[in-house]
Amino acid sequence: MNIMTESTETSNERRCISSESISLGSIRSIPITLHYSFFLLLIVELFISLRYTMYPMYILFILILYGPILLFTVVVHELGHAFTTKKMGGQVEGITLWPLGGFAVCGPTECGLVGDLKVAVMGPAMHIPMGLIWWSVWLGLSGGEKGLWPSWVINLPAISSSAAVFIGALASEAFYFNLMLFCFNLLIPAYPLDGGRIYAASLILYAKLQPMTAAKVTAATAILLSLGMVLYAFIGYFTDMGGSGLLLGVVGLFIFSNSYDLWKAAKNNDLDGHPIFGRRCYQSGGDAEAQEVPAQSDDAVIT
């Protein structure tokens, strides 16, 4: 996912987060930390799973799915942003995993707005190979007897019957994890998530909108989407949606807060200090020559 902040805010936020996080080491010199609240969704899902105490393997199933599998998925997603940034001449300070997924603290690339768009796309794109791997595991364990498409439904008695069925069900759910995250991050134009950043850059590059107009369109679109998410979560509170419905509501509120701030900034013609539209590559309106600025001279971007 994408969260943007100005460089002065980035260092303060990083210090705050680091004090509440634990180090998971580094990959290719990129430090990775885990915020203590990352497993909030796991706690919610475990609490909900207690209603199925007659199936103890289901509790283990939830523990693995929303623990190491979700952790691995988010890390690979953020590495897609980070590696692409470094490949295009940008700088990456680190990756922090938190309740809404994770973010990579990145400096701007040397490829301007086109590079920024590619960085945004590469996070969701990482779900394609991950999804194919989980699909292959499921297909190998099922032997093709259940067709080529995994079932969405978890058969509680079946996952307690054998290790193969248990792992196959995990692979099936992990496949859907990646499918949903791919679609959500790539296709939902909700600022400040990946889709919102892709949407904003595309409005300038391909729809040829002026930055101020693109900011207003981006903000208005995200506000409408966020209200839909919150409404859906509210309805889901009275149904059996599980922790995913609660998380969607939290994401909706997060999107609304950020998109409303963007709307106010655009309405007041005050985008100079904005973490996305205040950057040179956005203010240039997609002009390739104006975009080619040194990576260290722009604001830091959290993706």
Side-chain angles (χ1 to χ4, degrees), residues 232-263:
Y232 184 78
F234 179 77
I235 295 174
Y237 177 79
F238 300 99
T239 62
D240 189 19
M241 286 176 54
S244 58
L246 175 62
L247 180 63
L248 185 64
V250 174
V251 173
L253 292 174
F254 172 77
I255 292 172
F256 179 84
S257 175
N258 283 269
S259 56
Y260 183 67
D261 287 343
L262 173 59
W263 173 263

Side-chain angles (χ1 to χ4, degrees), residues 56-103:
M57 290 301 292
Y58 179 64
I59 298 177
L60 177 62
F61 183 91
I62 292 297
L63 183 63
I64 297 175
L65 182 64
Y66 289 94
I69 290 180
L70 180 60
L71 179 66
F72 173 80
T73 302
V74 174
V75 168
V76 174
H77 175 112
E78 297 306 326
L79 286 175
H81 292 307
F83 289 164
T84 305
T85 299
K86 295 186 71 172
K87 184 177 180 180
M88 294 186 175
Q91 298 177 343
V92 181
E93 294 184 18
I95 293 174
T96 296
L97 311 177
W98 68 311
L100 297 184
F103 56 78

Side-chain angles (χ1 to χ4, degrees), residues 130-151:
M130 285 192 288
L132 288 175
I133 290 173
W134 286 116
W135 176 81
S136 299
V137 172
W138 173 84
L139 186 63
L141 291 172
S142 67
E145 296 178 359
K146 300 179 181 179
L148 297 178
W149 195 258
S151 173

Side-chain angles (χ1 to χ4, degrees), residues 188-199:
I188 306 298
Y191 169 85
L193 307 184
D194 288 334
R197 184 176 173 186
I198 294 168
Y199 184 55

